[in-house]
């Protein structure tokens, strides 16, 4: 088994708590919730905790030895990370199949699949 990290990007899917979220029908919302619930029931998937909204993020950098903070995500909202999961899979194709079941993959966002590595 290999370990992969799935990085989930919001994309153009309306963020919860925003006026645009009102455009999502109850049927769409329930479908998204059902997909995430099914993902959470898989024994080979460990989801990270839900992340707050990109607007509530604080980006930290160190410039010339000084800590500098900025309100908001490092990237624009469309590229903001909405969550992550760790997956145990036989190979990349199996991890991609799991990533394809994440709603953002089909609703204007994306899911990046990265093999987990040991660096130290």
């Amino acid at each position: 088994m290999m370990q992969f990290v799935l990085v989930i990007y919001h994309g153009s899917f309306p963020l919860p708590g925003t006026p645009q979220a009102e455009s999502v029908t109850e049927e769409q919302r329930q479908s998204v919730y059902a997909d995430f619930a099914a993902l959470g029931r898989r024994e080979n998937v460990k989801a990270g905790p839900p992340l707050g909204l990109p607007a509530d993020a604080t980006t930290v950098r160190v410039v010339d030895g000084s800590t500098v903070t900025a309100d908001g995500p490092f990237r624009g909202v469309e590229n903001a990370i909405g969550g992550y999961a760790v997956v145990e899979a036989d190979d990349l194709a199996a991890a991609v199949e799991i990533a394809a079941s994440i709603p953002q993959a089909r609703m204007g966002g994306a899911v990046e699949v990265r093999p987990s590595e040991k660096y130290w």
Side-chain angles (χ1 to χ4, degrees):
M1 286 292 240
M2 298 174 65
Q3 192 174 67
F4 297 88
V5 177
L6 308 182
V7 183
I8 304 164
Y9 292 89
H10 280 292
S12 60
F13 185 74
L15 301 174
T18 64
Q20 296 85 351
E22 298 299 321
S23 68
V24 177
T25 68
E26 186 60 27
E27 182 179 298
Q28 290 171 317
R29 191 178 344 278
Q30 291 303 320
S31 175
V32 167
Y33 293 162
D35 288 346
F36 277 116
L39 188 67
R41 287 191 297 272
R42 296 180 71 132
E43 290 183 18
N44 63 329
V45 177
K46 180 174 176 151
L51 299 179
L53 295 175
D56 297 329
T58 299
T59 298
V60 179
R61 292 178 155 176
V62 177
V63 179
D64 296 326
S66 296
T67 301
V68 178
T69 63
D71 292 337
F74 178 64
R75 300 276 183 186
V77 172
E78 286 194 10
N79 295 318
I81 296 172
Y84 66 94
V86 178
V87 172
E88 299 277 340
D90 289 330
D91 54 24
L92 176 61
V96 166
E97 183 178 330
I98 293 168
S101 72
I102 295 174
Q104 280 75 7
R106 66 176 184 278
M107 301 179 89
V111 179
E112 186 177 309
V113 178
R114 293 189 194 186
S116 178
E117 299 286 345
K118 278 196 167 187
Y119 293 108
W120 47 86

